[in-house]
Amino acid sequence: MQDPSESARNPISVAVVTDKLGLGVLLYAYAMLLGATYLFGYWRAFGFDVFPYVSSIDYISAPLNRLLVLVSGPILFALVLFSQADRAASKFVVRLSLYLIFLYALSFAIDFYQAASRFVLSDFHYENEKSVLVISVILFAASCGFTYRLIRHESNVLTCATALILVQLGGSLSAGYSDGKAIFSGAANVFFLDNRDLCESGGVRDWVYLGRFSSKTFFMNTIDKRLCVTDTGSFNLKSRKFAEGL
C-alpha cells in the first residue's frame, strides 16, 4: 500500500495517474459511441429502434465482425497516450495520424460503396434510410476538412484526434448500414432459427438471426421481413449456406 505522505510528496505522479484514468473513461465512452453508431446504421436497414433493448456492453460487442471498428477506440487511446508521454514526438504523432486517417478513409470508401450499392439495388426502403448515407458523407467531409487543416496549417494532437474520430464514425455508420442491408436483402452468411415455432407456431418460413441484446433475441422473417423479439435464451441456429447448400 502506498504511503499517503509519499503521494503528497509526488503530486505530479498522482496527477498523471488521474489524467490517464480520466482518459480511459473518455475512451471507453468513445468506444460505446462507435458501437452506437454501428448499431444505428445496422438497424436503420430494418426500420427498427433497438436502443431501448441495448445494454452498455452491447455497444462494445455489437460490431464483433468489424475489426477496424473494434480497434478504433484503442488506436485513438494509444495515439493520445503516446503524444502525452513525449511532447517532442508530436511530428511523429501527426505523421502516424495521417497514415491512420488514410487507412480509415480507404475503409470508409469501401464500406460506403457497399452501403450505397445495397441501398440503390434494394426495392424497398424504410423511412430515413437515406439519412444514414447522408450523415456518413457529412462526417467524412468534415474529417477531410480537419485533415487539410492538419496538413496545411495546424499540427496538433486535437486536430489529429478530431480528424480521426470523424472518419472512424463515418466508417462505423457505413459499415453498420452495409451489414444490416446485406442481411435484409438476403445475405448468404446468415444463420436461421432451427426451431421456427419459437417465433411463429406452425410457421414454414425461415427466421434470420439478427442479434441478442440484454435478455432479448431478434429474428427476421425471410419473406415478409417481420421481426420477432423473444425472451427465450435457449435456441439453435443453422447456417444458411449449410441449410440451402450454397
Side-chain angles (χ1 to χ4, degrees):
M1 175 178 281
Q2 187 177 18
D3 187 354
S5 61
E6 182 179 350
S7 298
R9 291 194 300 269
N10 297 278
I12 296 179
S13 61
V14 174
V16 169
V17 171
T18 304
D19 289 344
K20 289 186 177 181
L21 287 175
L23 183 62
V25 172
L26 183 63
L27 266 295
Y28 177 77
Y30 176 62
M32 291 184 62
L33 175 61
L34 280 173
T37 306
Y38 179 89
L39 286 173
F40 175 78
Y42 181 91
W43 285 95
R44 179 60 64 183
F46 303 98
F48 184 76
D49 180 15
V50 76
F51 290 108
Y53 304 92
V54 178
S55 65
S56 57
I57 192 62
D58 292 327
Y59 289 106
I60 308 298
S61 61
L64 285 177
N65 63 330
R66 287 289 183 170
L67 179 62
L68 281 178
V69 176
L70 286 174
V71 302
S72 294
I75 283 179
L76 190 63
F77 180 79
L79 183 67
V80 175
L81 277 184
F82 183 80
S83 65
Q84 288 183 340
D86 186 4
R87 297 293 183 182
S90 60
K91 290 185 178 180
F92 174 77
V93 170
V94 171
R95 188 177 298 112
L96 177 60
S97 298
L98 290 174
Y99 284 124
L100 289 174
I101 291 169
F102 174 78
L103 174 64
Y104 277 96
L106 182 62
S107 174
F108 168 85
I110 295 173
D111 289 327
F112 182 80
Y113 173 77
Q114 291 178 339
S117 298
R118 287 164 180 166
F119 176 85
V120 172
L121 293 175
S122 177
D123 296 328
F124 174 81
H125 303 98
Y126 286 101
E127 186 178 0
N128 294 329
E129 270 192 55
K130 190 183 297 184
S131 64
V132 175
L133 303 178
V134 174
I135 295 173
S136 296
V137 171
I138 292 174
L139 289 170
F140 179 72
S143 175
C144 291
F146 277 96
T147 303
Y148 176 80
R149 184 176 180 180
L150 177 65
I151 296 173
R152 302 290 298 180
H153 302 290
E154 294 185 35
S155 297
N156 58 58
V157 176
L158 180 59
T159 305
C160 294
T162 303
L164 193 56
I165 286 172
L166 289 171
V167 72
Q168 287 175 350
L169 290 174
S172 178
L173 186 60
S174 296
Y177 180 77
S178 177
D179 291 345
K181 200 63 179 177
I183 293 176
F184 184 87
S185 301
N189 59 335
V190 297
F191 290 88
F192 290 151
L193 176 63
D194 195 22
N195 181 15
R196 298 169 181 164
D197 290 337
L198 186 64
C199 281
E200 184 179 29
S201 180
V204 296
R205 303 300 184 184
D206 285 309
W207 292 85
V208 178
Y209 174 72
L210 299 181
R212 180 172 178 81
F213 304 100
S214 298
S215 61
K216 304 290 185 180
T217 308
F218 297 81
F219 300 92
M220 181 189 71
N221 190 273
T222 56
I223 299 301
D224 55 17
K225 310 300 182 181
R226 285 180 294 128
L227 295 184
C228 166
V229 183
T230 175
D231 292 316
T232 304
S234 178
F235 52 86
N236 295 323
L237 299 174
K238 58 183 179 181
S239 169
R240 180 188 178 188
K241 291 182 179 180
F242 178 79
E244 299 182 356
L246 299 177

PDB file of all heavy atoms in Angstrom, residues 58-89:
ATOM      1  N   ASP A  58     -23.335  -4.194 -24.832  1.00  0.00           N
ATOM      2  CA  ASP A  58     -23.747  -4.486 -26.209  1.00  0.00           C
ATOM      3  C   ASP A  58     -23.147  -3.496 -27.201  1.00  0.00           C
ATOM      4  O   ASP A  58     -22.911  -3.841 -28.358  1.00  0.00           O
ATOM      5  CB  ASP A  58     -25.273  -4.457 -26.333  1.00  0.00           C
ATOM      6  CG  ASP A  58     -25.941  -5.593 -25.577  1.00  0.00           C
ATOM      7  OD1 ASP A  58     -25.340  -6.669 -25.511  1.00  0.00           O
ATOM      8  OD2 ASP A  58     -27.049  -5.389 -25.056  1.00  0.00           O
ATOM      9  N   TYR A  59     -22.919  -2.270 -26.760  1.00  0.00           N
ATOM     10  CA  TYR A  59     -22.322  -1.275 -27.655  1.00  0.00           C
ATOM     11  C   TYR A  59     -20.912  -1.686 -28.066  1.00  0.00           C
ATOM     12  O   TYR A  59     -20.469  -1.392 -29.174  1.00  0.00           O
ATOM     13  CB  TYR A  59     -22.277   0.097 -26.967  1.00  0.00           C
ATOM     14  CG  TYR A  59     -23.627   0.738 -26.801  1.00  0.00           C
ATOM     15  CD1 TYR A  59     -24.234   0.799 -25.559  1.00  0.00           C
ATOM     16  CD2 TYR A  59     -24.296   1.287 -27.890  1.00  0.00           C
ATOM     17  CE1 TYR A  59     -25.481   1.394 -25.396  1.00  0.00           C
ATOM     18  CE2 TYR A  59     -25.541   1.877 -27.739  1.00  0.00           C
ATOM     19  CZ  TYR A  59     -26.128   1.921 -26.483  1.00  0.00           C
ATOM     20  OH  TYR A  59     -27.362   2.502 -26.333  1.00  0.00           O
ATOM     21  N   ILE A  60     -20.218  -2.348 -27.149  1.00  0.00           N
ATOM     22  CA  ILE A  60     -18.847  -2.773 -27.445  1.00  0.00           C
ATOM     23  C   ILE A  60     -18.829  -4.054 -28.269  1.00  0.00           C
ATOM     24  O   ILE A  60     -18.014  -4.227 -29.174  1.00  0.00           O
ATOM     25  CB  ILE A  60     -18.054  -2.982 -26.140  1.00  0.00           C
ATOM     26  CG1 ILE A  60     -18.169  -1.750 -25.242  1.00  0.00           C
ATOM     27  CG2 ILE A  60     -16.596  -3.291 -26.439  1.00  0.00           C
ATOM     28  CD1 ILE A  60     -17.597  -0.494 -25.835  1.00  0.00           C
ATOM     29  N   SER A  61     -19.745  -4.980 -27.957  1.00  0.00           N
ATOM     30  CA  SER A  61     -19.713  -6.305 -28.588  1.00  0.00           C
ATOM     31  C   SER A  61     -20.465  -6.372 -29.912  1.00  0.00           C
ATOM     32  O   SER A  61     -20.278  -7.331 -30.669  1.00  0.00           O
ATOM     33  CB  SER A  61     -20.306  -7.348 -27.629  1.00  0.00           C
ATOM     34  OG  SER A  61     -21.654  -7.038 -27.322  1.00  0.00           O
ATOM     35  N   ALA A  62     -21.310  -5.376 -30.204  1.00  0.00           N
ATOM     36  CA  ALA A  62     -22.134  -5.449 -31.419  1.00  0.00           C
ATOM     37  C   ALA A  62     -21.322  -5.589 -32.706  1.00  0.00           C
ATOM     38  O   ALA A  62     -21.599  -6.467 -33.526  1.00  0.00           O
ATOM     39  CB  ALA A  62     -23.059  -4.238 -31.492  1.00  0.00           C
ATOM     40  N   PRO A  63     -20.301  -4.743 -32.942  1.00  0.00           N
ATOM     41  CA  PRO A  63     -19.568  -4.854 -34.217  1.00  0.00           C
ATOM     42  C   PRO A  63     -18.395  -5.838 -34.155  1.00  0.00           C
ATOM     43  O   PRO A  63     -17.286  -5.529 -34.583  1.00  0.00           O
ATOM     44  CB  PRO A  63     -19.067  -3.418 -34.433  1.00  0.00           C
ATOM     45  CG  PRO A  63     -18.860  -2.890 -33.054  1.00  0.00           C
ATOM     46  CD  PRO A  63     -19.870  -3.567 -32.176  1.00  0.00           C
ATOM     47  N   LEU A  64     -18.645  -7.042 -33.617  1.00  0.00           N
ATOM     48  CA  LEU A  64     -17.560  -8.011 -33.454  1.00  0.00           C
ATOM     49  C   LEU A  64     -16.967  -8.458 -34.787  1.00  0.00           C
ATOM     50  O   LEU A  64     -15.824  -8.900 -34.841  1.00  0.00           O
ATOM     51  CB  LEU A  64     -18.070  -9.233 -32.677  1.00  0.00           C
ATOM     52  CG  LEU A  64     -18.279  -9.039 -31.174  1.00  0.00           C
ATOM     53  CD1 LEU A  64     -18.859 -10.300 -30.553  1.00  0.00           C
ATOM     54  CD2 LEU A  64     -16.987  -8.655 -30.488  1.00  0.00           C
ATOM     55  N   ASN A  65     -17.748  -8.369 -35.853  1.00  0.00           N
ATOM     56  CA  ASN A  65     -17.243  -8.792 -37.156  1.00  0.00           C
ATOM     57  C   ASN A  65     -16.555  -7.674 -37.922  1.00  0.00           C
ATOM     58  O   ASN A  65     -16.167  -7.845 -39.066  1.00  0.00           O
ATOM     59  CB  ASN A  65     -18.390  -9.349 -38.011  1.00  0.00           C
ATOM     60  CG  ASN A  65     -19.438  -8.283 -38.297  1.00  0.00           C
ATOM     61  OD1 ASN A  65     -19.648  -7.379 -37.505  1.00  0.00           O
ATOM     62  ND2 ASN A  65     -20.110  -8.400 -39.426  1.00  0.00           N
ATOM     63  N   ARG A  66     -16.393  -6.524 -37.266  1.00  0.00           N
ATOM     64  CA  ARG A  66     -15.768  -5.370 -37.911  1.00  0.00           C
ATOM     65  C   ARG A  66     -14.506  -4.995 -37.146  1.00  0.00           C
ATOM     66  O   ARG A  66     -14.549  -4.280 -36.158  1.00  0.00           O
ATOM     67  CB  ARG A  66     -16.737  -4.191 -37.957  1.00  0.00           C
ATOM     68  CG  ARG A  66     -17.859  -4.363 -38.960  1.00  0.00           C
ATOM     69  CD  ARG A  66     -17.321  -4.251 -40.374  1.00  0.00           C
ATOM     70  NE  ARG A  66     -18.388  -4.336 -41.373  1.00  0.00           N
ATOM     71  CZ  ARG A  66     -18.195  -4.079 -42.659  1.00  0.00           C
ATOM     72  NH1 ARG A  66     -16.990  -3.731 -43.083  1.00  0.00           N
ATOM     73  NH2 ARG A  66     -19.180  -4.183 -43.510  1.00  0.00           N
ATOM     74  N   LEU A  67     -13.369  -5.486 -37.612  1.00  0.00           N
ATOM     75  CA  LEU A  67     -12.113  -5.299 -36.886  1.00  0.00           C
ATOM     76  C   LEU A  67     -11.748  -3.831 -36.747  1.00  0.00           C
ATOM     77  O   LEU A  67     -11.364  -3.369 -35.668  1.00  0.00           O
ATOM     78  CB  LEU A  67     -10.983  -6.053 -37.594  1.00  0.00           C
ATOM     79  CG  LEU A  67      -9.592  -5.938 -36.952  1.00  0.00           C
ATOM     80  CD1 LEU A  67      -9.620  -6.522 -35.552  1.00  0.00           C
ATOM     81  CD2 LEU A  67      -8.543  -6.644 -37.805  1.00  0.00           C
ATOM     82  N   LEU A  68     -11.879  -3.065 -37.831  1.00  0.00           N
ATOM     83  CA  LEU A  68     -11.487  -1.657 -37.769  1.00  0.00           C
ATOM     84  C   LEU A  68     -12.358  -0.863 -36.808  1.00  0.00           C
ATOM     85  O   LEU A  68     -11.888   0.080 -36.166  1.00  0.00           O
ATOM     86  CB  LEU A  68     -11.531  -1.029 -39.165  1.00  0.00           C
ATOM     87  CG  LEU A  68     -10.337  -1.342 -40.068  1.00  0.00           C
ATOM     88  CD1 LEU A  68     -10.519  -0.694 -41.433  1.00  0.00           C
ATOM     89  CD2 LEU A  68      -9.038  -0.882 -39.439  1.00  0.00           C
ATOM     90  N   VAL A  69     -13.625  -1.242 -36.696  1.00  0.00           N
ATOM     91  CA  VAL A  69     -14.492  -0.565 -35.736  1.00  0.00           C
ATOM     92  C   VAL A  69     -14.053  -0.889 -34.321  1.00  0.00           C
ATOM     93  O   VAL A  69     -13.990  -0.020 -33.439  1.00  0.00           O
ATOM     94  CB  VAL A  69     -15.965  -0.972 -35.948  1.00  0.00           C
ATOM     95  CG1 VAL A  69     -16.858  -0.344 -34.881  1.00  0.00           C
ATOM     96  CG2 VAL A  69     -16.434  -0.555 -37.333  1.00  0.00           C
ATOM     97  N   LEU A  70     -13.706  -2.145 -34.070  1.00  0.00           N
ATOM     98  CA  LEU A  70     -13.322  -2.574 -32.733  1.00  0.00           C
ATOM     99  C   LEU A  70     -12.015  -1.941 -32.267  1.00  0.00           C
ATOM    100  O   LEU A  70     -11.861  -1.603 -31.096  1.00  0.00           O
ATOM    101  CB  LEU A  70     -13.187  -4.104 -32.684  1.00  0.00           C
ATOM    102  CG  LEU A  70     -14.496  -4.894 -32.704  1.00  0.00           C
ATOM    103  CD1 LEU A  70     -14.203  -6.376 -32.796  1.00  0.00           C
ATOM    104  CD2 LEU A  70     -15.304  -4.606 -31.451  1.00  0.00           C
ATOM    105  N   VAL A  71     -11.051  -1.770 -33.179  1.00  0.00           N
ATOM    106  CA  VAL A  71      -9.743  -1.241 -32.785  1.00  0.00           C
ATOM    107  C   VAL A  71      -9.683   0.277 -32.859  1.00  0.00           C
ATOM    108  O   VAL A  71      -8.660   0.862 -32.517  1.00  0.00           O
ATOM    109  CB  VAL A  71      -8.616  -1.844 -33.656  1.00  0.00           C
ATOM    110  CG1 VAL A  71      -8.600  -3.351 -33.550  1.00  0.00           C
ATOM    111  CG2 VAL A  71      -8.732  -1.405 -35.111  1.00  0.00           C
ATOM    112  N   SER A  72     -10.770   0.925 -33.292  1.00  0.00           N
ATOM    113  CA  SER A  72     -10.746   2.378 -33.422  1.00  0.00           C
ATOM    114  C   SER A  72     -10.486   3.064 -32.093  1.00  0.00           C
ATOM    115  O   SER A  72      -9.643   3.968 -31.988  1.00  0.00           O
ATOM    116  CB  SER A  72     -12.076   2.878 -34.003  1.00  0.00           C
ATOM    117  OG  SER A  72     -12.245   2.419 -35.324  1.00  0.00           O
ATOM    118  N   GLY A  73     -11.210   2.641 -31.058  1.00  0.00           N
ATOM    119  CA  GLY A  73     -11.010   3.224 -29.739  1.00  0.00           C
ATOM    120  C   GLY A  73      -9.609   3.031 -29.195  1.00  0.00           C
ATOM    121  O   GLY A  73      -8.946   3.991 -28.803  1.00  0.00           O
ATOM    122  N   PRO A  74      -9.098   1.785 -29.155  1.00  0.00           N
ATOM    123  CA  PRO A  74      -7.732   1.563 -28.679  1.00  0.00           C
ATOM    124  C   PRO A  74      -6.666   2.307 -29.474  1.00  0.00           C
ATOM    125  O   PRO A  74      -5.676   2.768 -28.905  1.00  0.00           O
ATOM    126  CB  PRO A  74      -7.570   0.039 -28.828  1.00  0.00           C
ATOM    127  CG  PRO A  74      -8.939  -0.497 -28.706  1.00  0.00           C
ATOM    128  CD  PRO A  74      -9.827   0.520 -29.346  1.00  0.00           C
ATOM    129  N   ILE A  75      -6.846   2.420 -30.792  1.00  0.00           N
ATOM    130  CA  ILE A  75      -5.868   3.152 -31.610  1.00  0.00           C
ATOM    131  C   ILE A  75      -5.817   4.616 -31.189  1.00  0.00           C
ATOM    132  O   ILE A  75      -4.744   5.198 -31.000  1.00  0.00           O
ATOM    133  CB  ILE A  75      -6.216   3.025 -33.108  1.00  0.00           C
ATOM    134  CG1 ILE A  75      -5.802   1.656 -33.639  1.00  0.00           C
ATOM    135  CG2 ILE A  75      -5.540   4.125 -33.923  1.00  0.00           C
ATOM    136  CD1 ILE A  75      -6.131   1.429 -35.092  1.00  0.00           C
ATOM    137  N   LEU A  76      -6.989   5.215 -31.025  1.00  0.00           N
ATOM    138  CA  LEU A  76      -7.037   6.619 -30.600  1.00  0.00           C
ATOM    139  C   LEU A  76      -6.474   6.776 -29.194  1.00  0.00           C
ATOM    140  O   LEU A  76      -5.763   7.736 -28.893  1.00  0.00           O
ATOM    141  CB  LEU A  76      -8.479   7.114 -30.656  1.00  0.00           C
ATOM    142  CG  LEU A  76      -8.690   8.618 -30.473  1.00  0.00           C
ATOM    143  CD1 LEU A  76      -8.019   9.387 -31.617  1.00  0.00           C
ATOM    144  CD2 LEU A  76     -10.164   8.956 -30.414  1.00  0.00           C
ATOM    145  N   PHE A  77      -6.761   5.812 -28.321  1.00  0.00           N
ATOM    146  CA  PHE A  77      -6.254   5.830 -26.945  1.00  0.00           C
ATOM    147  C   PHE A  77      -4.724   5.798 -26.937  1.00  0.00           C
ATOM    148  O   PHE A  77      -4.072   6.583 -26.245  1.00  0.00           O
ATOM    149  CB  PHE A  77      -6.815   4.626 -26.188  1.00  0.00           C
ATOM    150  CG  PHE A  77      -6.356   4.535 -24.765  1.00  0.00           C
ATOM    151  CD1 PHE A  77      -6.930   5.330 -23.792  1.00  0.00           C
ATOM    152  CD2 PHE A  77      -5.360   3.642 -24.398  1.00  0.00           C
ATOM    153  CE1 PHE A  77      -6.516   5.247 -22.474  1.00  0.00           C
ATOM    154  CE2 PHE A  77      -4.940   3.558 -23.085  1.00  0.00           C
ATOM    155  CZ  PHE A  77      -5.521   4.356 -22.118  1.00  0.00           C
ATOM    156  N   ALA A  78      -4.144   4.870 -27.712  1.00  0.00           N
ATOM    157  CA  ALA A  78      -2.690   4.760 -27.777  1.00  0.00           C
ATOM    158  C   ALA A  78      -2.063   6.008 -28.367  1.00  0.00           C
ATOM    159  O   ALA A  78      -1.004   6.470 -27.924  1.00  0.00           O
ATOM    160  CB  ALA A  78      -2.309   3.527 -28.608  1.00  0.00           C
ATOM    161  N   LEU A  79      -2.731   6.577 -29.359  1.00  0.00           N
ATOM    162  CA  LEU A  79      -2.219   7.779 -30.007  1.00  0.00           C
ATOM    163  C   LEU A  79      -2.139   8.946 -29.024  1.00  0.00           C
ATOM    164  O   LEU A  79      -1.121   9.630 -28.925  1.00  0.00           O
ATOM    165  CB  LEU A  79      -3.103   8.151 -31.192  1.00  0.00           C
ATOM    166  CG  LEU A  79      -2.674   9.352 -32.033  1.00  0.00           C
ATOM    167  CD1 LEU A  79      -1.390   9.041 -32.773  1.00  0.00           C
ATOM    168  CD2 LEU A  79      -3.765   9.735 -33.015  1.00  0.00           C
ATOM    169  N   VAL A  80      -3.204   9.150 -28.258  1.00  0.00           N
ATOM    170  CA  VAL A  80      -3.233  10.251 -27.300  1.00  0.00           C
ATOM    171  C   VAL A  80      -2.235  10.018 -26.173  1.00  0.00           C
ATOM    172  O   VAL A  80      -1.526  10.941 -25.749  1.00  0.00           O
ATOM    173  CB  VAL A  80      -4.663  10.429 -26.745  1.00  0.00           C
ATOM    174  CG1 VAL A  80      -4.688  11.492 -25.645  1.00  0.00           C
ATOM    175  CG2 VAL A  80      -5.614  10.817 -27.865  1.00  0.00           C
ATOM    176  N   LEU A  81      -2.158   8.790 -25.665  1.00  0.00           N
ATOM    177  CA  LEU A  81      -1.199   8.489 -24.597  1.00  0.00           C
ATOM    178  C   LEU A  81       0.232   8.725 -25.061  1.00  0.00           C
ATOM    179  O   LEU A  81       1.064   9.279 -24.337  1.00  0.00           O
ATOM    180  CB  LEU A  81      -1.359   7.032 -24.142  1.00  0.00           C
ATOM    181  CG  LEU A  81      -2.458   6.737 -23.134  1.00  0.00           C
ATOM    182  CD1 LEU A  81      -2.403   5.281 -22.719  1.00  0.00           C
ATOM    183  CD2 LEU A  81      -2.344   7.631 -21.908  1.00  0.00           C
ATOM    184  N   PHE A  82       0.538   8.312 -26.281  1.00  0.00           N
ATOM    185  CA  PHE A  82       1.884   8.487 -26.808  1.00  0.00           C
ATOM    186  C   PHE A  82       2.228   9.962 -26.941  1.00  0.00           C
ATOM    187  O   PHE A  82       3.335  10.387 -26.621  1.00  0.00           O
ATOM    188  CB  PHE A  82       2.001   7.797 -28.163  1.00  0.00           C
ATOM    189  CG  PHE A  82       3.380   7.859 -28.757  1.00  0.00           C
ATOM    190  CD1 PHE A  82       4.375   6.993 -28.339  1.00  0.00           C
ATOM    191  CD2 PHE A  82       3.692   8.803 -29.733  1.00  0.00           C
ATOM    192  CE1 PHE A  82       5.645   7.058 -28.883  1.00  0.00           C
ATOM    193  CE2 PHE A  82       4.962   8.879 -30.278  1.00  0.00           C
ATOM    194  CZ  PHE A  82       5.941   7.989 -29.853  1.00  0.00           C
ATOM    195  N   SER A  83       1.269  10.734 -27.385  1.00  0.00           N
ATOM    196  CA  SER A  83       1.526  12.161 -27.563  1.00  0.00           C
ATOM    197  C   SER A  83       1.716  12.857 -26.223  1.00  0.00           C
ATOM    198  O   SER A  83       2.483  13.808 -26.107  1.00  0.00           O
ATOM    199  CB  SER A  83       0.371  12.817 -28.318  1.00  0.00           C
ATOM    200  OG  SER A  83      -0.821  12.769 -27.550  1.00  0.00           O
ATOM    201  N   GLN A  84       1.045  12.360 -25.170  1.00  0.00           N
ATOM    202  CA  GLN A  84       1.203  12.950 -23.849  1.00  0.00           C
ATOM    203  C   GLN A  84       2.520  12.540 -23.203  1.00  0.00           C
ATOM    204  O   GLN A  84       3.101  13.287 -22.430  1.00  0.00           O
ATOM    205  CB  GLN A  84       0.036  12.541 -22.943  1.00  0.00           C
ATOM    206  CG  GLN A  84      -1.279  13.207 -23.303  1.00  0.00           C
ATOM    207  CD  GLN A  84      -2.374  12.835 -22.336  1.00  0.00           C
ATOM    208  OE1 GLN A  84      -2.286  11.837 -21.627  1.00  0.00           O
ATOM    209  NE2 GLN A  84      -3.430  13.627 -22.313  1.00  0.00           N
ATOM    210  N   ALA A  85       2.970  11.328 -23.529  1.00  0.00           N
ATOM    211  CA  ALA A  85       4.180  10.826 -22.902  1.00  0.00           C
ATOM    212  C   ALA A  85       5.423  11.550 -23.391  1.00  0.00           C
ATOM    213  O   ALA A  85       6.392  11.702 -22.656  1.00  0.00           O
ATOM    214  CB  ALA A  85       4.303   9.323 -23.161  1.00  0.00           C
ATOM    215  N   ASP A  86       5.403  11.997 -24.636  1.00  0.00           N
ATOM    216  CA  ASP A  86       6.609  12.624 -25.179  1.00  0.00           C
ATOM    217  C   ASP A  86       6.193  13.773 -26.089  1.00  0.00           C
ATOM    218  O   ASP A  86       5.811  13.567 -27.232  1.00  0.00           O
ATOM    219  CB  ASP A  86       7.428  11.579 -25.950  1.00  0.00           C
ATOM    220  CG  ASP A  86       8.767  12.148 -26.424  1.00  0.00           C
ATOM    221  OD1 ASP A  86       9.085  13.313 -26.088  1.00  0.00           O
ATOM    222  OD2 ASP A  86       9.476  11.427 -27.131  1.00  0.00           O
ATOM    223  N   ARG A  87       6.265  14.957 -25.587  1.00  0.00           N
ATOM    224  CA  ARG A  87       5.865  16.132 -26.366  1.00  0.00           C
ATOM    225  C   ARG A  87       6.757  16.335 -27.586  1.00  0.00           C
ATOM    226  O   ARG A  87       6.325  16.864 -28.604  1.00  0.00           O
ATOM    227  CB  ARG A  87       5.945  17.383 -25.479  1.00  0.00           C
ATOM    228  CG  ARG A  87       4.988  17.358 -24.284  1.00  0.00           C
ATOM    229  CD  ARG A  87       3.561  17.424 -24.740  1.00  0.00           C
ATOM    230  NE  ARG A  87       2.642  17.474 -23.602  1.00  0.00           N
ATOM    231  CZ  ARG A  87       1.340  17.501 -23.710  1.00  0.00           C
ATOM    232  NH1 ARG A  87       0.780  17.477 -24.909  1.00  0.00           N
ATOM    233  NH2 ARG A  87       0.571  17.544 -22.640  1.00  0.00           N
ATOM    234  N   ALA A  88       7.999  15.887 -27.488  1.00  0.00           N
ATOM    235  CA  ALA A  88       8.932  16.071 -28.602  1.00  0.00           C
ATOM    236  C   ALA A  88       8.577  15.186 -29.791  1.00  0.00           C
ATOM    237  O   ALA A  88       9.101  15.366 -30.889  1.00  0.00           O
ATOM    238  CB  ALA A  88      10.355  15.781 -28.143  1.00  0.00           C
ATOM    239  N   ALA A  89       7.681  14.221 -29.556  1.00  0.00           N
ATOM    240  CA  ALA A  89       7.337  13.283 -30.637  1.00  0.00           C
ATOM    241  C   ALA A  89       6.100  13.723 -31.391  1.00  0.00           C
ATOM    242  O   ALA A  89       5.482  12.922 -32.089  1.00  0.00           O
ATOM    243  CB  ALA A  89       7.110  11.889 -30.047  1.00  0.00           C
TER     244      ALA A  89
END
